[in-house]
Amino acid sequence: MECKSGAMSTAGKNPGARHEADVIYGIDNWGQGFFAVSEDGHLTVRPNPTENATIDIHEVVTQLFTEGSRSPLLLRFPQILDAQILKLKSAFDKAIEEFDYSESYQGVFPMKVNPRREVVDRLLETGRSVNLGLEVGSKSELLLALGMKPASDALLICNGFKDPAFMEMAFWAHRLGRNVVIVMEQVREVKEYLRIASDFGCKPLLGLRGRLYTKGSGKWEESGGETSKFGLSTMEMLECIRALREAGIEDSVAMLHFHIGSQITEIRRIKAAVREASRVYAKIRKMGVSIRFLNVGGGLGIDYDGSRSSSDNSANYSVQEFANDVVYTVGGICHDEGVPEPILISESGRALTAYHSILVLSAESRFDPNLDVRATLEPMKKASPLVELTEILDEITVKNFREYYHDAVQQRDELFSLFDLGYLGIEDRAQAEVLFHEICEKALLFAKATKNQSDDFLRLAKALRRKYISNFSVFQSVPDAWTIGQLFPIVPIHRLNESPTEFGILADLTCDSDGKIDNFVDTRRVKTVLELHEVRPGEPYYLGVCLVGAYQEVMGSFHNMFGRVNEAQVTISAEGETETFGLQAGDRIFEVAGIIGYERDLVLDRVARRVDEATASGRIDSESATAFHGQYLAWLNASTYPD
Ligand code: PLP
């Protein structure tokens, strides 16, 4: 599909509301210049920061849905991957020049962060000009990496648990001409390396993964520090060097590596870790081991909430500050210690990929049907609390709403006591619930209008959050929102030139009470409601969950058998031509069933038997049996998500 971007209608122009949308959803804060709001009130993406061409996400989605695709839909913007690779590389180049550092920087992409073919292929293609390599942490990743063709100087770093097969694969990669570094994480891996080296008659480069005292910060703090699961203690590192020296191949040790955790929120932790690692590097160099790469691992944080702070969902530094601190610190310590400066490596995965994809959901708000029955209920008697509640509802205003709301709480409690004692009927109780709910809604509107932030009204806002039933599974598409409470910016992809009138949370399709998103980004706090629009009857309402390009796709699970979502890639040319390609249909029911052991034929066979039994017992006739069979096949071939 090709559609022209920039074909904007002027309908609904409202610059004030667009500005309001920026403020409400914090787009400028977390968007890094990639996201903005168009005059039509649509969310746009500017994937190439050096050009002005923007992609209208709503236009793309509407077009794709017209052509038969459905929500949930994952949109990838490969040009954002390009931009991030170049941003990281140029930040290091700038720092190297500024601090007169004598060596260069090379990145490697850790496959675990997003191993999707489209992503890795694009990263390696664009990364060819900057020697972007790969980091693998398992046999599966290594086997795939073996078939890829990055730049000839790019590194292939092998981390993780290495059984003999993993080690042999790494040796094969070396023999095939790849720039392999096998990182030792346990002393026993050295023995395995030596055994295979003598079998293969070659010795790929080796790395040592050190365990630093410095811990990271944020949710992955425990990945670093002396109790970390990963890396060699100082004694173990010395033992590895001794064993390699004894075997006469200490000259193969080329890299010192550390990683103190992903999403490091505080720059001072990075500085401290780099300082410690640089000192270890210098001391090992002084032992005569000619390490030439210092690998600072991953951890470069993303400012998901836009607060530019050390909160768990943010990072209090920029990419440039990260690069400056690494280069300056390593350079300074090498100078102090009088050792050569190493080539700098980082394994930044989140920073390269997080921005590049958006999950588009369709949402509908759920109204409590109780609210419509007020007129149809005939109370048994006009109990005094009911009379009071009716009056409060009629008379509550912006001036008296605090007092009237408190009165309403009292009247409701009184009415429930009377019900408990048997004085009132079920209709009285129903009527009171409806009246009280309406009073709360009015009070909340007044509280919002007067910017009342008291505990009472914050609690009320939380209680009255409207559920937007959204066509997705948290467990499949944003698992970190569930497992670690990670926040992702969520924004309607249209109607951003209209003021939102509702406070909502997102409920997914799974039958799991954890299948919801009820925390949202904000620069000052975590919002427990998101400002959303009233869903108009018969009109779709689409939300974009942004910054989901790192970790989410590969960590997603099949809870309730919701499968992978539909996907498409979107690019834009300098002339503003939007191109959508690489459409992939999400999983169908039989595919997800196959993953958990119900192969299609087995499923069909089992159902055929149940149908035969029902036919034999006369429960259904053979015509119905044939019709059901056809229908069952069609259902099995359909998407796991509702139409
Ligand atoms: N390197 C190693 C060894 C890791 O374990 C990880 C992930 O935690 C990374 C790199 C990627 O880290 P990030 O995505 O924070 O850059």
Side-chain angles (χ1 to χ4, degrees), residues 110 112-113 135 159 209 257 259 262-263 297-300 347-350 551:
K112 65 175 85 69
V113 179
E135 183 262 3
N159 276 322
R209 178 163 178 178
H257 170 44
H259 169 76
S262 193
Q263 183 64 15
L300 175 51
E347 298 180 349
S348 309
R350 189 184 291 274
Y551 297 102

Side-chain angles (χ1 to χ4, degrees), residues 58 362-365 494-495 498 533-542:
H58 187 254
S362 58
E364 49 188 73
S365 69
H494 55 148
R495 298 178 62 184
E498 284 174 43
H533 301 87
E534 179 103 54
V535 180
R536 299 186 192 117
E539 239 184 66
Y541 186 54
Y542 298 125

